[in-house]
């Protein structure tokens, strides 16, 4: 098999897993939840369940963000100089100790950058959140109910807001809050990354 095509082997596995889940979902729901999982959760556990909820958004954003984080973190780990790994092993460290105390520490600025880029991607996401959350403006702390992010709120309500109205100004305030949060978050992440680089650059 040509290099780089190993991931193609996962395609039939994913298709088979999706087919299995779709076929087994009614059977499992009938066996464990009396054929109606939302009513079972509401009656037995007192949990209100919406089909589009924060849990679905978390899974969807995980699929969207994890490849970016993994790719950048992998590049950072493989960029660690080989002589550091070989020197650690030559001094008697186990492969696990070398990974934890040498490789991960040296690659920590790149790994941290990967996590920050992924989180920034998740915070600024609009359409995935808008389609998967049910676009619920009233939220609570339950992961089984819908939600609406600031970016999705701006995208949905801005076309309907009257210019110079209170609603219009509140949406601009939401945009300023989103920008401020992103700016502060990215600035703090850059400061931490620079300190990690300075701390472990002499290894």
């Amino acid at each position: 098999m040509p290099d780089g095509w190993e991931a193609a082997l996962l395609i039939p596995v994913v298709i088979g897993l999706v087919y299995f889940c779709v076929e087994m979902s009614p059977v499992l729901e009938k066996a464990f939840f009396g054929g109606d999982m939302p009513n079972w959760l509401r009656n037995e556990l007192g949990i209100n369940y919406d089909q589009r909820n924060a849990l679905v958004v978390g899974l969807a954003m995980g699929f969207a963000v994890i490849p970016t984080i993994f790719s950048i973190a992998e590049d950072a780990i493989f960029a660690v100089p080989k002589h550091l790994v070989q020197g650690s092993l030559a001094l008697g460290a186990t492969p696990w100790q070398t990974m934890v105390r040498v490789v991960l520490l040296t690659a920590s600025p790149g790994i941290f950058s990967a996590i920050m880029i992924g989180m920034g991607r998740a915070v600024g996401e609009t359409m995935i959140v808008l389609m998967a959350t049910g676009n619920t403006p009233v939220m609570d702390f339950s992961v089984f109910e819908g939600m609406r992010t600031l970016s999705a709120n701006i995208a949905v309500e801005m076309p309907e807001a009257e210019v110079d109205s209170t609603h219009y100004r509140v949406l601009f305030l939401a945009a300023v809050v989103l920008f401020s949060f992103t700016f502060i978050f990215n600035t703090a992440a850059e400061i931490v990354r620079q300190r990690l680089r300075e701390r472990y650059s002499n290894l």
Side-chain angles (χ1 to χ4, degrees):
M1 177 176 292
D3 293 338
W5 283 84
E6 292 83 359
L9 296 175
L10 294 176
I11 295 177
V13 176
V14 173
I15 294 175
L17 181 62
V18 170
Y19 178 78
F20 175 79
C21 291
V22 171
E23 291 296 322
M24 292 301 296
S25 177
V27 177
L28 295 176
E29 187 174 20
K30 185 176 181 179
F32 294 101
F33 304 106
D36 194 340
M37 180 179 173
N39 283 336
W40 186 89
L41 290 174
R42 187 178 301 109
N43 297 331
E44 298 294 331
L45 302 179
I47 297 175
N48 292 324
Y49 178 83
D50 294 333
Q51 185 176 9
R52 297 180 179 180
N53 52 55
L55 184 61
V56 175
V57 174
L59 294 174
M61 290 307 303
F63 281 109
V65 169
I66 286 177
T68 301
I69 297 176
F70 179 83
S71 177
I72 299 175
E74 183 184 29
D75 291 340
I77 290 174
F78 280 100
V80 175
K82 297 296 183 182
H83 68 269
L84 294 179
V85 178
Q86 295 170 356
S88 176
L89 295 174
L91 291 173
T94 64
W96 177 254
Q97 290 173 329
T98 301
M99 170 61 72
V100 173
R101 299 182 182 180
V102 177
V103 176
L104 291 182
L105 289 181
T106 307
S108 58
I111 296 174
F112 185 77
S113 298
I115 295 173
M116 292 301 102
I117 290 173
M119 292 185 66
R121 164 88 163 80
V123 170
E125 180 58 49
T126 301
M127 296 313 298
I128 292 178
V129 179
L130 188 61
M131 291 186 292
T133 59
N135 193 25
T136 305
V138 180
M139 301 182 297
D140 58 22
F141 291 100
S142 175
V143 297
F144 296 106
E145 295 191 10
M147 57 177 288
R148 180 190 286 183
T149 62
L150 282 176
S151 56
N153 186 64
I154 295 169
V156 169
E157 297 191 10
M158 183 59 76
E160 302 176 0
E162 183 180 352
V163 178
D164 292 333
S165 64
T166 303
H167 186 197
Y168 189 78
R169 292 187 175 93
V170 168
L171 291 177
F172 268 92
L173 177 61
V176 171
V177 171
L178 181 62
F179 172 79
S180 301
F181 175 80
T182 305
F183 179 79
I184 294 172
F185 190 80
N186 288 338
T187 302
E190 180 64 20
I191 292 173
V192 173
R193 187 183 69 84
Q194 289 293 344
R195 290 186 177 180
L196 288 174
R197 175 174 291 181
E198 293 173 0
R199 181 175 181 179
Y200 298 115
S201 61
N202 296 325
L203 290 177

